Amino acid sequence: MYRVFEALDELVAIVEEARGIPPTRNCIVPRGEVLELLDDVREALPGELDDAQDVLDHRDKIVSDARNSAEATVTGANDQAEQTVAGAREEADRLLADAKAHADRMVAEARAHADHLVATAQAEADRIVTDGKAEYEALTGRARTESERMIAAGQASYDRSVAEGQAEQERLVSQTEVVRAAHGESARLIDAAQSEADRLREECDHYVDSQLADFEETLHSTLRTVGRGRQQLRSGTGIPDYAADFRR
């Protein structure tokens, strides 16, 4: 490229120094030197300029070919996109059908499991109520037996005290000098026997009441357990352990 600029500078110098032709602005230049410099410029120019000129000469054909290729590419891309969309729609429909079938199967399994849990809870509740009734009857029977035994013991103690008091009273009555004392002692013994009988009866009542209170607490605990189990079943938080409260 340096030779190109050098040759151009020489051409400018020749034109500037050439002899003019009056009265025009033309001039006389040495043909041989000018042609030689032009040959040097042509030879110094790179081959890419010729290629660029060829591209400029054929640019309409290149642009047309590029436009046709672009249109063909766009058409092919549209066809491919339509095929891809259709395949994706078919795949989405298949996936949706599979998901719906899986969801239906899961719902059926969940419903069957819930029915099993309800049946199990109902059976456990019935068993707990039956056990509670049996325990109640057993506690009531033991309390009744103990009450009758204590009442019988109190009655026997009362009768024995009364008999002793009467015997002592009769013995003292035979002695006139201690009649008043005998009456007092007899009354004291009778009062003591009555107090002992009352005490025994009160202890018996207290024992029966305590046993009934324990059973009442057991029944309340059983009802709370059954209620909590039903709440867990309704909320779906898991399978309730009805016997946990009784094991503690």
Side-chain angles (χ1 to χ4, degrees), residues 125-136:
D126 294 339
R127 186 189 64 79
I128 291 174
V129 171
T130 301
D131 293 343
K133 288 181 178 179
E135 182 68 18
Y136 169 76

Side-chain angles (χ1 to χ4, degrees), residues 2 13 22 37 61 63 93 96 108 118-119 135-136 143 145 164-165 198-199 203:
Y2 178 75
L37 290 174
K61 181 179 181 302
V63 170
D93 293 339
L96 181 61
V118 171
E135 182 68 18
Y136 169 76
T145 301
E164 291 176 354
D198 293 339
R199 183 184 67 79
E203 291 180 356

